[in-house]
Amino acid sequence: GNSVTQMEGPVTLSEEAFLTINCTYTATGYPSLFWYVQYPGEGLQLLLKATKADDKGSNKGFEATYRKETTSFHLEKGSVQVSDSAVYFCALSPYNFNKFYFGSGTKLNVKP
Amino acid sequence: EAGVTQFPSHSVIEKGQTVTLRCDPISGHDNLYWYRRVMGKEIKFLLHFVKESKQDESGMPNNRFLAERTGGTYSTLKVQPAELEDSGVYFCASSQDQGESEQFFGPGTRLTVL
């Protein structure tokens, strides 16, 4: 079946610290992988995506690489800011982006 | 351009009552999706509309849940009768095309069943 496992939070970091949020998946076929972010009071926003193995998605300083051999899609950022405080969801879509399987979310708190 | 909107933002009801959630997708988006996040767990797919037709309703938990999208514009999700385990955040999303088309999410409706 299809599922996503991501590290539990909350994760608390100081500003300018390095961020890693782990995400692993199980899937049938060759899924596309995504990171979504939910800022307080808002809906989920697509942060980045990768559609095939070894692709790297990047946006706003965040990066994640589609690793088929380890079935992983870890989110990284070299220097977090207070404004990055949010809940981050890893997700996969096994076909055509029509149905997403999400992880449980990781809350990130960045302190000044 | 307005984003996906959902109403109400928060609903508190007693067990056994009925609640109707509404989602207004981005104008022109044929695809509309409902998801649910229960108790801080993963967000789970409920169903997918293409215009007014249900393309995939494999995630609907049971027959107490009824989703409609008359006219292919806004959608409603009715829970009748509500149970305690229905508490959670219900998200709606829309996309323009099928295939590699981004889904845009609304802010969610937080449902609390007491």
Side-chain angles (χ1 to χ4, degrees):
Chain A
N2 298 292
S3 67
V4 174
T5 302
Q6 60 182 106
M7 62 188 288
E8 293 207 14
V11 173
T12 301
L13 296 173
S14 297
E15 207 165 22
E16 299 184 1
F18 184 86
L19 168 71
T20 300
I21 300 178
N22 291 335
C23 171
T24 57
Y25 68 91
T26 57
T28 53
Y30 301 96
S32 295
L33 302 174
F34 306 80
W35 277 99
Y36 275 82
V37 57
Q38 184 182 24
Y39 298 103
E42 299 183 13
L44 280 76
Q45 301 173 23
L46 177 63
L47 181 59
L48 54 84
K49 68 182 180 186
T51 58
K52 61 182 187 295
D54 299 326
D55 270 3
K56 177 186 283 188
S58 60
N59 186 24
K60 299 181 181 180
F62 291 89
E63 293 183 338
T65 301
Y66 189 143
R67 300 286 188 198
K68 187 169 180 287
E69 64 276 12
T70 55
T71 62
S72 65
F73 193 56
H74 305 320
L75 182 68
E76 295 182 337
K77 187 175 185 182
S79 176
V80 294
Q81 306 300 312
V82 172
S83 57
D84 294 326
S85 297
V87 181
Y88 292 81
F89 293 91
C90 185
L92 70 83
S93 179
Y95 39 79
N96 286 338
F97 291 31
N98 282 339
K99 183 173 182 178
F100 283 78
Y101 294 82
F102 285 90
S104 55
T106 302
K107 186 172 184 180
L108 172 65
N109 297 315
V110 181
K111 296 185 174 181
Chain B
E1 178 183 290
V4 177
T5 57
Q6 294 186 243
F7 183 83
S9 58
H10 193 183
S11 179
V12 181
I13 61 172
E14 299 280 339
K15 175 183 172 182
Q17 290 185 322
T18 297
V19 63
T20 301
L21 313 181
R22 173 171 169 143
C23 169
D24 286 77
I26 293 173
S27 178
H29 281 194
D30 287 341
N31 295 278
L32 187 148
Y33 308 82
W34 283 99
Y35 294 86
R36 176 174 74 167
R37 187 184 190 204
V38 174
M39 289 291 291
K41 295 185 178 178
E42 67 271 22
I43 300 172
K44 287 193 172 181
F45 169 85
L46 296 179
L47 87 160
H48 170 206
F49 282 101
V50 178
K51 297 184 179 178
E52 66 276 9
S53 299
K54 292 176 184 174
Q55 178 86 356
D56 181 353
E57 52 182 329
S58 60
M60 293 289 266
N62 53 60
N63 60 9
R64 294 186 293 103
F65 289 75
L66 175 64
E68 295 180 322
R69 193 183 181 196
T70 307
T73 54
Y74 71 91
S75 174
T76 58
L77 180 64
K78 180 190 286 188
V79 185
Q80 180 181 31
E83 298 290 343
L84 299 179
E85 64 264 25
D86 301 332
S87 296
V89 181
Y90 290 76
F91 292 100
C92 175
S94 71
S95 69
Q96 188 163 25
D97 304 306
Q98 296 196 58
E100 294 193 13
S101 181
E102 180 181 348
Q103 290 189 21
F104 294 86
F105 282 77
T109 293
R110 180 174 294 278
L111 174 64
T112 302
V113 183
L114 302 176

